[in-house]
């Protein structure tokens, strides 16, 4: 079997696993509220903003798709 010096890589077909994530707006809102509540318990000035951002990301990915 002969191999060519150049080969073409097709990312849509050649990747063995492909993940598609559908984001949820309602999950994002719920995650923001929960993250803000948990972040308010942390005794640090960045506790609330970081809690909101992390809660928003996790809620939009893990929440039900709209």
């Amino acid at each position: 079997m002969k191999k060519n010096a150049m080969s073409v890589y097709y990312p849509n077909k050649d990747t063995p696993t492909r993940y598609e994530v559908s984001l949820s707006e309602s999950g994002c809102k719920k995650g923001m509220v929960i993250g803000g509540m948990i972040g308010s318990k942390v005794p640090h000035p960045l506790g609330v903003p970081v809690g909101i951002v992390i809660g928003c990301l996790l809620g939009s990915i893990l929440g039900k798709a709209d």
Side-chain angles (χ1 to χ4, degrees), residues 21-32:
V21 177
S22 57
L23 301 178
S24 168
E25 184 179 348
S26 61
C28 178
K29 291 177 184 177
K30 291 177 186 176
M32 282 175 45

Side-chain angles (χ1 to χ4, degrees), residues 2-22:
K2 247 179 146 177
K3 291 191 175 185
N4 294 335
M6 292 180 56
S7 64
V8 178
Y9 175 73
Y10 296 103
N12 292 336
K13 292 190 276 182
D14 293 341
T15 54
T17 57
R18 183 177 175 155
Y19 300 105
E20 292 186 17
V21 177
S22 57

Side-chain angles (χ1 to χ4, degrees), residues 20-64:
E20 292 186 17
V21 177
S22 57
L23 301 178
S24 168
E25 184 179 348
S26 61
C28 178
K29 291 177 184 177
K30 291 177 186 176
M32 282 175 45
V33 171
I34 293 171
M37 289 171 37
I38 293 172
S40 68
K41 305 296 182 194
V42 176
H44 194 274
L46 292 176
V48 176
V50 170
I52 289 174
V53 169
I54 291 175
C56 177
L57 291 174
L58 288 176
S60 64
I61 293 172
L62 299 176
K64 284 185 176 180

